Amino acid sequence: MSTTTSSPGPTAAPVRFVGRIGHLYLLAALVLVPWVGYLAVVLPERQVAANYDLAWVGFDLGLVAALLVTGVLIVRRSPWVVLTAASTAALLTTDAWFDVVTSPHGSARLTALVLAVAVELPLAALSLVIAVRVLRRIVAASG
């Protein structure tokens, strides 16, 4: 009867590394929870922000780039669309959130809500559907 010892193969180090990175993300999420609570207590309701216009224009240009690249990758039927579609969904959701919560009450808030519900969030959902469908096809093909 022979006994074999299981020695770590060439994938042992990367698996350990991936596990550590995963634990780092979990720790970051755990640390962020009390930080969010702290911010909820100490941040002022109103704040004048320097470069507010530049921040929004820069964010929206990033959103334009994400939409553009996602559209090109969809047309080319590229599997890389998984990454850009997921990123686009995150950017659209973030844009909707900040548009709604930073808009003043009245018609500006209503406009932000309508755009969020009618445009940004449905397009974010479509982007996620695209990412998931393409990812499923990639996984099935590698199978």
Side-chain angles (χ1 to χ4, degrees):
M1 178 180 244
S2 70
T3 59
T4 58
T5 59
S6 61
S7 62
T11 61
V15 169
R16 260 191 310 240
F17 176 75
V18 169
R20 287 185 182 143
I21 295 298
H23 286 113
L24 177 66
Y25 276 79
L26 294 171
L27 178 63
L30 189 64
V31 168
L32 196 54
V33 171
W35 176 250
V36 170
Y38 170 76
L39 291 177
V41 172
V42 301
L43 285 178
E45 182 181 329
R46 295 183 183 268
Q47 177 69 34
V48 176
N51 301 312
Y52 184 80
D53 55 346
L54 181 60
W56 275 113
V57 169
F59 183 87
D60 284 342
L61 285 174
L63 182 54
V64 166
L67 288 163
L68 179 66
V69 173
T70 300
V72 167
L73 293 177
I74 290 170
V75 169
R76 291 184 176 180
R77 297 182 180 272
S78 171
W80 291 102
V81 76
V82 170
L83 300 174
T84 62
S87 299
T88 299
L91 290 171
L92 285 162
T93 304
T94 302
D95 192 32
W97 171 260
F98 282 102
D99 284 346
V100 170
V101 300
T102 63
S103 62
H105 295 287
S107 64
R109 173 75 50 93
L110 180 60
T111 300
L113 280 168
V114 167
L115 286 173
V117 170
V119 178
E120 294 163 327
L121 296 177
L123 191 52
L126 176 62
S127 297
L128 284 178
V129 166
I130 290 166
V132 168
R133 285 186 178 178
V134 172
L135 185 58
R136 283 183 179 156
R137 287 183 184 155
I138 292 169
V139 169
S142 69

